[in-house]
Amino acid sequence: MSLTGKNALVTGGSRGIGRAVCIRLATMGVHVFINYVSNPKAAQETQKIITDAGGSADLLAFNVADAVQAQNAIKGLIKEAGSLDILVNNAGITRDGLMARMKEDDWDAVLDTNLKGSFICAKAAARSMMKKRWGRIVNISSVIGFAGNAGQVNYASAKAGMQGLTKSMAREFASRNITVNAVAPGYILTDMTRDLPEEIQEKIKAEIPLASLGSPDDVAGAVAYLVGDDSAYITGQTIHVNGGMYM
Ligand code: NAP
């Protein structure tokens, strides 16, 4: 399906799931703004993959957890491009540790990036979408937000919070023809999970009915569906992309 003429911002689009989402949206005719915070080389690689395939993309560096930086960057994007039609809140980090030893900084960093960052970006993006009376917001949450996980109270809380954010925004923005949905990946092979010890990966696989970790493209497919016309009557929902590990 073609979304030619639409502009999308993918936070954390430089690597992993965000990169796959950027590439997928570009194949649908979308002009993609690739956000990153620390890794310009990876973001440039994503941009090159897109332009080599005939798509169009720009880079946009900012920290989603810094309200002033993020708002200014998104304002600038809207001014330059004319509109922001699609937002994928994908930027995320982990700072794992058992609760008894978890530092407040680790709690704050994960909540600020994953949850507050999504709120900040969505608030800034929604202005343009409301004006155009068309918009798509997709929040990348996680199976951990539904099932919980020892060693990830910060991450699980942030991702569970994104579910509340998704449903509340869906209700607030529906009258302006803006849909807001979430995609909750299970274990996907990216930099975030690559360093898990082999035996932990085997343990995880044993809990997955489809018996393998997912790929970033598996998640990108669900995002592509949620931004396209086929999902126009779907809002406030979550697509679980997890090989069946949580039903
Ligand atoms: P990843 O490979 O570690 O990539 C993280 C991306 O987020 C990078 O592009 C990074 O930018 C960006 N980022 C981090 N902090 C940022 C900030 N403050 N501002 C702007 N960008 C920031 O992660 P991933 O595995 O692809 O995960 C992507 C999303 O999916 C995350 O929200 C994650 O929680 C979620 N998820 C992942 C899995 C999984 O198994 N991998 C499962 C469930 C959910 P730089 O390149 O500049 O550092």
Side-chain angles (χ1 to χ4, degrees):
M1 180 220 325
S2 173
L3 289 171
T4 304
K6 305 264 190 237
N7 298 307
L9 169 64
V10 180
T11 67
S14 50
R15 297 183 277 124
I17 291 170
R19 171 180 285 186
V21 170
C22 288
I23 293 168
R24 185 67 183 260
L25 294 185
T27 65
M28 296 163 85
V30 175
H31 179 77
V32 183
F33 287 85
I34 304 163
N35 161 253
Y36 65 97
V37 68
S38 65
N39 200 333
K41 216 172 145 211
Q44 284 156 9
E45 272 171 31
T46 305
Q47 186 183 32
K48 187 170 183 322
I49 295 168
I50 289 172
T51 51
D52 283 355
S56 67
D58 277 308
L59 304 185
L60 196 60
F62 65 89
N63 177 358
V64 296
D66 180 327
V68 174
Q69 232 187 76
Q71 281 160 6
N72 286 341
I74 293 172
K75 252 192 204 161
L77 179 165
I78 294 167
K79 202 168 166 208
E80 179 197 320
S83 68
L84 176 54
D85 311 290
I86 297 165
L87 169 69
V88 183
N89 276 317
N90 165 80
I93 58 166
T94 52
R95 291 256 188 107
D96 298 350
L98 290 175
M99 174 133 173
R101 286 196 291 270
M102 184 173 286
K103 294 191 177 68
E104 215 177 306
D105 279 357
D106 293 334
W107 172 272
D108 288 344
V110 170
L111 270 287
D112 283 355
T113 302
N114 294 273
L115 182 56
K116 195 176 104 186
S118 301
F119 160 72
I120 292 167
C121 293
K123 190 176 168 192
R127 286 166 179 246
S128 171
M129 295 175 185
M130 286 195 286
K131 260 193 204 151
K132 282 189 84 180
R133 295 197 167 260
W134 193 96
R136 297 280 186 268
I137 299 175
V138 181
N139 295 323
I140 307 298
S141 69
S142 169
V143 65
I144 302 302
F146 290 83
N149 198 19
Q152 290 195 306
V153 287
N154 49 0
Y155 186 75
S157 302
K159 294 302 190 183
M162 285 178 83
Q163 295 304 131
L165 179 71
T166 300
K167 291 181 187 178
S168 303
M169 287 199 302
R171 288 184 187 277
E172 286 197 21
F173 295 138
S175 64
R176 308 296 177 97
N177 196 26
I178 300 167
T179 66
V180 186
N181 291 288
V183 174
Y187 282 89
I188 309 295
L189 208 51
T190 68
D191 292 346
M192 193 177 267
T193 47
R194 216 177 301 280
D195 292 339
L196 285 174
E198 186 67 29
E199 77 263 21
I200 305 264
Q201 286 202 23
E202 288 309 316
K203 230 173 131 188
I204 291 167
K205 272 187 214 161
E207 288 168 19
I208 300 175
L210 288 175
S212 64
L213 300 193
S215 77
D217 287 336
D218 293 325
V219 182
V223 175
Y225 172 65
L226 288 172
V227 304
D229 286 342
D230 288 343
S231 65
Y233 195 57
I234 296 176
T235 195
Q237 307 301 315
T238 298
I239 299 183
H240 293 266
V241 181
N242 62 25
M245 74 178 286
Y246 177 87
M247 297 182 188

